[in-house]
């Protein structure tokens, strides 16, 4: 993985995590009214960002040591 692709991937993964968590915190603590689908959507965005981050960065050393 090239350094530029790795940097862009890191920015997108962290952006998804931050946006999802901010939405969850807002909905659960500050919103006057919310529906279940809003919480599930914010949770999905957070989970998507976490999975992206995990897949690209926690396994990066194992992938690079294999040569592929």
């Amino acid at each position: 993985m090239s350094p530029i692709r790795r940097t862009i991937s890191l920015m997108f993964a962290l952006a998804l995590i931050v946006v999802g968590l901010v939405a969850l915190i807002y909905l659960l603590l500050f919103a006057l009214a919310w529906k279940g689908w809003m919480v599930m959507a914010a949770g999905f965005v957070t989970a998507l960002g976490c999975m992206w981050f995990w897949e690209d960065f926690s396994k990066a050393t194992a992938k690079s040591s294999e040569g592929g």
Side-chain angles (χ1 to χ4, degrees):
M1 183 182 323
S2 71
I4 293 174
R5 182 188 180 281
R6 192 172 172 93
T7 303
I8 292 171
S9 181
L10 176 66
M11 289 190 306
F12 278 125
L14 290 178
L16 284 172
I17 293 169
V18 168
V19 167
L21 286 176
V22 167
L24 271 174
I25 291 169
Y26 173 76
L27 285 171
L28 295 176
L29 299 178
F30 301 113
L32 296 176
W34 51 269
K35 303 217 184 258
W37 67 267
M38 295 175 184
V39 175
M40 290 190 326
F44 178 75
V45 169
T46 304
L48 185 65
C50 289
M51 287 187 291
W52 188 345
F53 185 80
W54 178 264
E55 186 63 31
D56 276 356
F57 296 100
S58 71
K59 298 180 180 179
T61 56
K63 288 180 184 175
S64 61
S65 66
E66 293 173 3

